[in-house]
Amino acid sequence: LPILLHSFLYRKAATATGLPTFLLVGPSGGGKTAFTTLTERGTVPTTHTSTAPLQIEALLPDPHVPASSHYRSPGDPAFERSRRFIIHDTPGHGKLRNYATSTLADPKNVRGIVFVVDAAAIDEEAGLNEAAEYLHDVLLSLQKRYTNAKTSKGPKEIPVLIAANKMDLFTALPASAVKTKLEKAISAVRNNRAKALRDAGAKLTGEDDVDEEKEWLGEGGEGSFEFDQMREIGTTVDVIGGNVSQGKNAGDVAGWWSWMGEHL
Ligand code: GDP
């Protein structure tokens, strides 16, 4: 009962507060809605529809501690306040995906981006390509936000967590393989996009002198894309495995909550 009462009170209060926010993005079916519900209520949902953006307020669950409160003790009102945050769940499919990347252009209070992906789907070409394209666009939005920033210091860094979900499935790839597969697939997306731009530019002007630099993710040159290249624009990318559910029960997402705590 206390948990239910709690989430009722907080659901009403959400959005208005200006609390630190984590943006949930990723392909449809990865587990965003399930993760939102688990974080909000401590249970996994039986039915779900993630067709509209949803913001809920949550508390960082025990025993995770917000980085800003490492020296505070439980019971200290400042400690309790610092555990509060908003999860902003975004729809993963079709046109609505633009919503996620446009939110990144004006990321009020965004402390981090959690890219939820089905680690079993990554082992199939279609699933891998869909995830890689989406992630490419998210990272490119962050890169543009950085390079377009007016201040010399650059905007506040926004870290990215790739939450490799469904580790309970025996077909799920381990986090390290999810990482390398995505890096490789993003390299391909990057090349394809550049080629498409060149072709379009050549058609328009009859030459191929389009400024591709702004659309090129990460380091230039012939090398392949690696997440570490995002450090230059102030973005760290971590890949952590987890599973929101385990059969009908809650699974284990401690690694993701701990990552969120580090950025609270
Ligand atoms: P969303 O489209 O990203 O919001 O994904 P959902 O949260 O709707 O989840 C898609 C499907 O994956 C649902 O049927 C969930 O029950 C299922 N799912 C979510 N997390 C897990 C998990 O950790 N393991 C397994 N086996 N299934 C999961």
Side-chain angles (χ1 to χ4, degrees):
L1 179 68
I3 292 175
L4 276 177
L5 185 62
H6 166 93
S7 70
F8 172 69
L9 291 173
Y10 277 87
R11 185 180 272 277
K12 286 184 89 176
T15 65
T17 50
L19 285 175
T21 298
F22 292 96
L23 202 55
L24 280 195
V25 299
S28 188
K32 295 181 293 300
T33 309
F35 179 54
T36 303
T37 309
L38 178 64
T39 305
E40 184 190 21
R41 296 184 221 155
T43 59
V44 284
T46 45
T47 57
H48 35 68
T49 41
S50 67
T51 51
L54 168 73
Q55 297 190 36
I56 61 109
E57 188 177 326
L59 279 184
L60 189 67
D62 287 330
H64 306 285
V65 176
S68 59
S69 276
H70 269 150
Y71 300 102
R72 296 198 176 103
S73 42
D76 177 341
F79 177 86
E80 298 307 323
R81 258 198 313 279
S82 73
R83 294 169 59 213
R84 295 169 60 190
F85 63 90
I86 287 173
I87 284 196
H88 189 151
D89 185 7
T90 68
H93 36 186
K95 288 186 202 155
L96 288 165
R97 186 175 289 184
N98 293 332
Y99 175 84
T101 34
S102 60
T103 307
L104 290 180
D106 181 26
K108 286 199 189 67
N109 305 316
V110 172
R111 290 295 175 85
I113 292 171
V114 181
F115 186 90
V116 183
V117 66
D118 177 339
I122 289 293
D123 203 22
E124 291 158 21
E125 202 179 318
L128 175 61
N129 290 340
E130 191 190 2
E133 283 191 14
Y134 195 165
L135 186 54
H136 170 276
D137 292 355
V138 167
L139 295 176
L140 190 60
S141 304
L142 288 176
Q143 178 174 303
K144 286 181 177 172
R145 167 181 174 267
Y146 185 87
T147 45
N148 293 342
K150 302 278 185 292
T151 62
S152 55
K153 267 177 63 200
K156 200 171 169 357
E157 64 158 50
I158 298 184
V160 174
L161 168 66
I162 298 173
N165 190 26
K166 309 199 186 181
M167 286 298 169
D168 56 305
L169 301 178
F170 78 96
T171 47
L173 295 176
S176 57
V178 169
K179 177 170 187 253
T180 50
K181 285 221 169 206
L182 280 173
E183 284 179 330
K184 224 174 142 201
I186 288 176
S187 301
V189 172
R190 192 167 76 156
N191 288 334
N192 293 339
R193 295 281 174 90
K195 181 173 183 314
L197 269 185
R198 273 197 302 275
D199 293 350
K203 267 202 200 104
L204 273 177
T205 61
E207 305 157 29
D208 50 7
D209 61 349
V210 189
D211 177 18
E212 292 169 23
E213 217 171 289
K214 279 193 182 149
E215 302 297 325
W216 182 263
L217 180 68
E219 263 169 30
E222 300 291 294
S224 42
F225 174 78
E226 285 170 21
F227 290 126
D228 269 351
Q229 293 169 13
M230 294 289 99
R231 284 179 193 277
E232 243 180 68
I233 59 145
T235 289
T236 56
V237 181
D238 294 301
V239 188
I240 302 176
N243 56 300
V244 176
S245 58
Q246 185 82 49
K248 284 200 165 90
N249 301 315
D252 177 6
V253 293
W256 308 348
W257 280 334
S258 150
W259 184 92
M260 291 163 92
E262 282 166 27
H263 299 285
L264 266 183

